[in-house]
Amino acid sequence: MELKEKEKQYILQTYKRLPIEVDHADGVYVYAKDGRKYLDFFGGIAVNALGYDNSRVKSAILNQINRYMHMSNLFYMDVQVDLAELICELSGYAKIFFTNSGTEAVEAAIKVSRKWGSKENKSKLLALTNSFHGRTMGALSLTDRPKYRQGFEPFLPDVEHVEFNDVTDLAAKVDSTTAAVFIEFIQGEGGINVASGRFVEQLFALKQKHGFLVVADEIQTGIYRTGKLFSFEYHGVHPDMVTLAKPLGGSLPLGGLLVDPHLVDVLGYGGHGTTFGGNPVSCAAGLATLQELSERRIASHVSKVGGHLKQRLLEFKSRHPQFVSEVRGLGLMLGVECTVDCSEFVSNLLSNGVLVNCTNGNVIRILPPLVIEEAHADNFMSILEETYDAHVSRFNFKEVTA
Ligand SMILES: *Cc1c(COP(=O)(O)O)cnc(C)c1O
């Protein structure tokens, strides 16, 4: 049986897969079994921060595999503690709880928020419209994408959604019963929507007044993706907790919840747990990745290359205003909002050798490995232009020439 048919026969059909049978990947390129080569501007959904074949990460993984692959959290494991130390030192947070995934990091944050609030009758959790926090029932209760929620009701009680960037709606919904507000400072799945300075300022002013927690979901934006360790740093604010995952495990499954000093004792012994969370092989990969990223001063590299790419995308927009309505994002987390559904355009880009993704129907989401160079960005732009030209003639968009 062919791979595609076999997948269809044996795996629950919850993913629309791209028509690529992967053979191998290296650097920032993915190679298919049919010999085709793709420039990867998607990075395994923001996971592969160092691309695909970083030798330091690979040898850290091999070394840990040779020591032990799993022990359980009943033992002291040096790599897990070393990664915790490094992320706490880099971020200024006090402690971390390790999970396997993003959604579990969000679940941990929900549990800390609810338990912390239980003494003062604070149980309400707020999230923003268009948010994405994961697929397990707690995280899904915070997620506001109808296509992911439909049919899964009832959700967690005492959860409400605040209109994104709407300070009036925010002020109306927070009160003394609010335990926590969950926020992606740049929404990923939702279409690269950037929280406004005014909204964030208001959020922290209301936090002062009502005493709720702010939880930053940095699962997609975190670990230098936007040109800083965390995207909230652009606002000069300090959330009480931060959820992490995607790039944290250096391509292996790993998530985490960072907490401030005042929250370190909320869960307590037995208050939460996981069999696999903080797996030592994942931690070894994550530690090597984080060391490599911070030693390479990746933040300024991301700002520079991301700034260049954004500039070129803005030029593309001004040449094709009938196709591109907005270019958004920071660093190497960029979104190109199209005036029409972009899924077909994204398939055409794929045929022309570039991997990107279409999110929220009409936003081309660009999440390349953080190590791409300007030459890769320029290469991406030429393929984008060529694809657009071919697309226009195929679909008969009215070209407005300058
Ligand atoms: C991907 C993502 C999640 C969920 O992470 P999983 O590892 O898929 O469970 C949560 N929040 C944000 C912002 C994400 O991008």
Side-chain angles (χ1 to χ4, degrees), residues 143-159:
T143 293
D144 179 51
R145 317 297 314 283
K147 68 168 178 176
Y148 300 147
R149 288 168 67 94
Q150 245 156 40
F152 297 111
E153 304 84 354
F155 295 110
L156 280 188
D158 257 355
V159 175

Side-chain angles (χ1 to χ4, degrees), residues 201-264:
E201 206 175 281
Q202 188 67 13
L203 174 65
F204 281 80
L206 289 163
K207 168 181 162 55
Q208 280 293 318
K209 184 174 170 201
H210 297 293
F212 54 79
L213 305 174
V214 172
V215 184
D217 185 340
E218 293 275 351
I219 290 169
Q220 193 162 145
T221 46
I223 326 267
Y224 306 111
R225 169 62 51 191
T226 66
K228 293 195 184 285
L229 181 62
F230 300 133
S231 64
F232 60 74
E233 291 171 38
Y234 283 98
H235 297 276
V237 294
H238 184 84
D240 302 271
M241 291 190 268
V242 183
T243 57
L244 297 173
K246 294 195 164 85
L248 182 65
S251 301
L252 298 183
L254 187 66
L257 175 68
L258 286 167
V259 305
D260 259 352
H262 72 108
L263 297 171
V264 297

Side-chain angles (χ1 to χ4, degrees), residues 151-322:
F152 297 111
E153 304 84 354
F155 295 110
L156 280 188
D158 257 355
V159 175
E160 279 183 67
H161 289 92
V162 171
E163 202 60 45
F164 188 71
N165 278 346
D166 184 334
V167 292
T168 315
D169 196 38
L170 176 68
K173 284 183 179 147
V174 293
D175 56 29
S176 62
T177 69
T178 307
V181 178
F182 286 70
I183 174 171
E184 297 161 88
F185 288 80
I186 302 179
Q187 294 185 327
E189 297 286 319
I192 317 293
N193 307 312
V194 185
S196 71
R198 190 160 167 259
F199 186 80
V200 174
E201 206 175 281
Q202 188 67 13
L203 174 65
F204 281 80
L206 289 163
K207 168 181 162 55
Q208 280 293 318
K209 184 174 170 201
H210 297 293
F212 54 79
L213 305 174
V214 172
V215 184
D217 185 340
E218 293 275 351
I219 290 169
Q220 193 162 145
T221 46
I223 326 267
Y224 306 111
R225 169 62 51 191
T226 66
K228 293 195 184 285
L229 181 62
F230 300 133
S231 64
F232 60 74
E233 291 171 38
Y234 283 98
H235 297 276
V237 294
H238 184 84
D240 302 271
M241 291 190 268
V242 183
T243 57
L244 297 173
K246 294 195 164 85
L248 182 65
S251 301
L252 298 183
L254 187 66
L257 175 68
L258 286 167
V259 305
D260 259 352
H262 72 108
L263 297 171
V264 297
D265 295 322
V266 172
L267 293 172
Y269 289 113
H272 198 37
T274 157
T275 301
F276 282 116
N279 169 270
V281 184
S282 298
C283 285
L287 180 61
T289 299
L290 207 52
Q291 285 168 336
E292 180 83 9
L293 290 173
S294 55
E295 284 169 24
R296 274 199 199 188
R297 304 196 181 289
I298 203 78
S300 61
H301 174 80
V302 167
S303 293
K304 189 165 152 283
V305 179
H308 172 75
L309 180 56
K310 190 172 183 182
Q311 185 52 41
R312 295 218 45 193
L313 287 168
L314 286 165
E315 288 160 17
F316 179 75
K317 172 184 177 285
S318 55
R319 277 196 301 278
H320 308 295
Q322 74 290 356

